Amino acid sequence: MDRKTDDEQIQRHLSYLRLALSFATKSPPKPTNYCVGAVLVDTVRNEILSTGYTLELEGNTHAEQCCLTKLANKQGLQEEEVGKVIPEGAVLYTTMEPCWVRLSGNLPCVQRILRTKLGEHAGIRTVVCGVREPEKFVNENHGRKLLNDAGIAVLYVSGLESDILAVATAGHEKE
Ligand code: ZN
């Protein structure tokens, strides 16, 4: 693989985040959540493995959750087994950092990412986010620490914040 300069790397991250943002715009705006988009990329083959956005699948579903569930379903697996089909070097791009607690009681996306490490399968080792989660519905997001503690790199790439937040909060009342 070519050695990438930092700038090329950042441009690559930004192009995948823009793609994730294009999926976020498909999410139906609601006052109670953020419209987020996610893309799972095999960075070795430069191939998009799956995509997702908030409320894409039935139920109160999040973007990362939809992304992982769709990949699992394609392979005839349950989401909790999706780690089996995630190749080494897979990077999860998400417009907003993954949730670590859910008021609905559903499994937070951070836990869904952590459980992709399954047996000998390394799972997702890198998460790239466009913005931090605003502290509107839950307090400070401690997901980054949970992921870092498990050896997963969490990168925040700046440059798309205002577009990402405009899409994410489309259904919220303006203050
Ligand atoms: Zn989530």
Side-chain angles (χ1 to χ4, degrees):
M1 214 171 94
D2 293 341
R3 287 188 66 173
K4 297 262 183 258
T5 65
D6 285 354
D7 191 51
E8 282 175 290
Q9 192 75 264
I10 287 169
Q11 291 310 319
R12 199 155 80 135
H13 288 330
L14 282 171
S15 71
Y16 283 126
L17 281 174
R18 275 190 208 99
L19 182 65
L21 180 59
S22 75
F23 286 100
T25 62
K26 296 173 187 267
S27 176
K30 286 180 88 173
T32 47
N33 57 21
Y34 296 109
C35 300
V36 175
V39 179
L40 184 65
V41 179
D42 176 345
T43 57
V44 176
R45 290 178 191 76
N46 216 9
E47 184 188 315
I48 291 161
L49 299 168
S50 190
T51 65
Y53 56 86
T54 310
L55 300 178
E56 180 179 4
L57 298 179
E58 205 177 314
N60 179 19
T61 52
H62 283 190
E64 303 91 324
Q65 177 184 1
C66 292
C67 187
L68 294 174
T69 300
K70 284 165 64 186
L71 178 61
N73 290 350
K74 254 194 283 187
Q75 308 280 346
L77 297 172
Q78 297 296 311
E79 189 216 323
E80 51 264 41
E81 304 172 291
V82 73
K84 291 179 184 172
V85 293
I86 292 179
E88 245 177 85
V91 175
L92 180 65
Y93 289 87
T94 180
T95 56
M96 188 177 289
E97 65 185 345
C99 65
W100 69 288
V101 61
R102 287 179 70 169
L103 304 177
S104 60
N106 287 322
L107 189 70
C109 295
V110 163
Q111 297 302 331
R112 296 174 193 274
I113 293 164
L114 289 173
R115 72 179 176 180
T116 63
K117 180 172 161 57
L118 194 63
E120 75 272 27
H121 304 280
I124 293 167
R125 308 306 299 156
T126 306
V127 180
V128 178
C129 321
V131 296
R132 291 173 186 276
E133 184 178 11
E135 293 180 28
K136 179 170 180 176
F137 301 130
V138 295
N139 294 329
E140 189 190 341
N141 188 316
H142 295 290
R144 181 184 197 167
K145 182 173 175 0
L146 292 171
L147 292 169
N148 285 343
D149 286 352
I152 298 171
V154 183
L155 308 177
Y156 296 85
V157 175
S158 58
L160 300 172
E161 291 90 339
S162 53
D163 290 346
I164 286 172
L165 287 171
V167 170
T169 61
H172 298 189
E173 275 192 37
K174 303 290 175 239
E175 286 159 27

